[in-house]
Amino acid sequence: MNTVVDTRERILTTARELFHGRSYADVGIKEICDLAKVQKGSFYHFFPSKQDLAMAVIDDMAEDWAHGFVAEAFDRNLPPMERLDYMIDAAYYWQKAAKDIEGRMPGCLFGNLALEVSTRDEVLRAKLNAVFQKASSQFHETLDEAIEQGQIAPLDAQATSQAMLAFLEGIILLAKTRNDPEVIRTLGPAIKTLRVELPMEN
Amino acid sequence: MNTVVDTRERILTTARELFHGRSYADVGIKEICDLAKVQKGSFYHFFPSKQDLAMAVIDDMAEDWAHGFVAEAFDRNLPPMERLDYMIDAAYYWQKAAKDIEGRMPGCLFGNLALEVSTRDEVLRAKLNAVFQKASSQFHETLDEAIEQGQIAPLDAQATSQAMLAFLEGIILLAKTRNDPEVIRTLGPAIKTLRVELPMEN
């Protein structure tokens, strides 16, 4: 294995796990280096600052999401509204697996970071906003298809897709606060009832 | 004015503002003491630990909420479903006012803290969970009344009230990430479309 890639990967994986399980401010570079068995000099070679590291962690997680459970849930071969059920299921099993291992439900790394850093780091805020925009575009496509196929009545697909993403983040937030992934399974299916109506024509 | 009360209040107000505008981990006791013009010894007299301070901040904010915008929005004299519109409006104007002053939308202090500390502070997690339980009971009462008056079709009021609270937290999260309170106003009214159906009878 390429040692350079390996070192960078080790830092990334360690940081992602710690940020996700605790918080951004709570985890120091020294701790990451110690756990990843990397010298500080080497760390700064790859990541000039903690912010650079966070940017890479977000990219890494977004990449995994896009090719992992989001790709599976938003499979074009599934009937559009069924994709939403898959997505809720995937979120539930993901959080349940994490809790089974750690004893604590970690929630959504993007949501966690967004609430923690948005008021004080404009670069990270913009990055997280872009991740959410991309995620809501998946909902948007799904809704467009569902309308086209006559499975749901026409609605404001742009706004409804954002409302659905907000709901997903909200149920994960509530589930994390209760430390109970079942909240996602109980409340999740209501995502399909959300509707922002089209503006009325005059 | 009573000096003891005054000192405690100054610490509380300062901490609440800093935690809300930044994060729990990002704000140190020294900074709070400096800004509140309080000696460290005096601080520890009122709050033996930072956790004790956070508990008091949550109580203080919950109290303000209960007597402030929640009481106004969930006014029993309003038709039940209109209360939800008031609640969204109140959340929007609250966040807008904060952004107009600070340049940054702070979000919901409870949601912020819940995502930041739930995996590593069981006491604060339980406290925040209790705040959310109380908040969702307001939605629950509203839904019960709306069903009783025949304004909405029967539904699982317990689960739907939690879904509504989750949605509220979710749209505030998304709005904070976009640093744009308008997100609350655009997506908020969809809260009334959320439904968790009653379990089907066999």
Side-chain angles (χ1 to χ4, degrees):
Chain A
M1 187 184 270
N2 184 322
T3 320
V4 171
V5 172
D6 184 43
T7 304
R8 190 177 182 277
E9 273 302 308
R10 268 209 324 278
I11 297 170
L12 258 189
T13 309
T14 306
R16 178 173 143 177
E17 209 164 293
L18 294 179
F19 290 162
H20 197 181
R22 282 153 52 197
S23 77
Y24 178 60
D26 196 52
V27 178
I29 290 174
K30 188 182 175 311
E31 184 179 1
I32 295 167
C33 289
D34 288 350
L35 274 167
K37 300 195 198 331
V38 168
Q39 301 291 323
K40 262 204 173 177
S42 181
F43 176 95
Y44 286 111
H45 166 73
F46 293 108
F47 305 104
S49 71
K50 196 176 172 189
Q51 187 195 57
D52 289 308
L53 172 63
M55 294 290 274
V57 164
I58 294 167
D59 275 334
D60 190 56
M61 184 87 174
E63 189 80 2
D64 272 13
W65 257 44
H67 296 105
F69 97 67
V70 172
E72 265 174 55
F74 289 103
D75 182 346
R76 288 285 186 140
N77 294 315
L78 292 170
M81 296 309 273
E82 266 182 38
R83 293 174 209 164
L84 300 176
D85 291 323
Y86 269 73
M87 209 259 324
I88 295 295
D89 269 6
Y92 164 70
Y93 284 110
W94 169 46
Q95 293 293 318
K96 188 176 176 329
K99 191 191 162 184
D100 287 347
I101 295 167
E102 308 284 346
R104 300 269 156 241
M105 216 201 91
C108 168
L109 177 64
F110 305 127
N112 295 351
L113 286 173
L115 291 196
E116 188 186 353
V117 306
S118 286
T119 53
R120 59 209 168 84
D121 191 318
E122 187 57 20
V123 174
L124 291 181
R125 185 193 68 70
K127 180 83 174 177
L128 290 159
N129 191 38
V131 169
F132 285 146
Q133 294 282 31
K134 209 170 163 189
S136 83
S137 74
Q138 298 272 8
F139 288 102
H140 197 158
E141 280 176 31
T142 302
L143 290 171
D144 280 344
E145 260 187 75
I147 295 166
E148 211 179 283
Q149 297 176 16
Q151 289 178 16
I152 57 170
L155 45 67
D156 182 337
Q158 168 82 10
T160 305
S161 65
Q162 291 169 15
M164 286 179 166
L165 176 64
F167 183 62
L168 176 64
E169 287 294 327
I171 58 175
I172 294 175
L173 182 154
L174 219 56
K176 178 172 176 172
T177 314
R178 214 177 292 165
N179 194 28
D180 183 4
E182 297 303 324
V183 172
I184 299 170
R185 193 144 70 163
T186 311
L187 307 183
I191 197 170
K192 290 184 291 185
T193 65
L194 273 169
R195 291 182 60 86
V196 180
E197 300 299 334
L198 286 162
M200 289 221 268
E201 281 170 44
N202 290 321
Chain B
M1 186 184 273
N2 183 322
T3 319
V4 171
V5 173
D6 184 43
T7 304
R8 189 178 183 279
E9 274 302 308
R10 267 208 328 275
I11 298 169
L12 259 189
T13 308
T14 306
R16 177 171 145 177
E17 209 163 292
L18 294 179
F19 290 161
H20 198 180
R22 282 153 52 197
S23 76
Y24 179 60
D26 197 51
V27 178
I29 290 175
K30 189 183 174 310
E31 185 179 359
I32 294 167
C33 289
D34 288 351
L35 274 169
K37 299 193 197 335
V38 169
Q39 301 292 323
K40 262 204 173 179
S42 181
F43 176 94
Y44 286 111
H45 166 74
F46 293 107
F47 305 105
S49 72
K50 197 177 171 189
Q51 187 196 57
D52 290 307
L53 173 64
M55 294 288 276
V57 164
I58 294 167
D59 275 334
D60 190 57
M61 185 86 175
E63 190 80 359
D64 273 13
W65 256 44
H67 296 105
F69 96 67
V70 172
E72 264 175 56
F74 288 102
D75 181 345
R76 289 286 186 137
N77 295 315
L78 292 170
M81 296 307 275
E82 264 182 40
R83 294 173 208 166
L84 300 176
D85 291 322
Y86 268 74
M87 208 260 322
I88 295 295
D89 270 7
Y92 164 71
Y93 284 110
W94 170 44
Q95 294 292 320
K96 191 179 176 326
K99 190 191 162 183
D100 287 348
I101 294 167
E102 308 284 345
R104 299 271 157 239
M105 214 199 93
C108 168
L109 177 64
F110 305 127
N112 295 351
L113 285 174
L115 290 195
E116 188 187 353
V117 306
S118 286
T119 54
R120 58 207 168 84
D121 192 319
E122 187 56 22
V123 173
L124 291 180
R125 185 193 68 71
K127 180 84 175 176
L128 290 159
N129 191 39
V131 169
F132 284 145
Q133 294 281 29
K134 208 169 165 189
S136 83
S137 74
Q138 298 271 8
F139 287 102
H140 198 158
E141 280 175 30
T142 302
L143 290 171
D144 281 344
E145 258 189 77
I147 295 167
E148 209 180 283
Q149 296 175 17
Q151 289 176 16
I152 56 170
L155 44 68
D156 183 336
Q158 167 82 8
T160 304
S161 64
Q162 291 169 15
M164 287 179 166
L165 176 64
F167 183 63
L168 176 63
E169 286 295 326
I171 58 176
I172 294 176
L173 182 155
L174 219 58
K176 178 171 175 172
T177 315
R178 213 177 291 166
N179 195 27
D180 182 5
E182 296 302 324
V183 172
I184 299 170
R185 193 144 70 163
T186 311
L187 307 183
I191 198 169
K192 290 184 291 184
T193 66
L194 272 170
R195 291 182 61 85
V196 180
E197 299 300 334
L198 285 163
M200 289 223 269
E201 284 171 42
N202 288 321

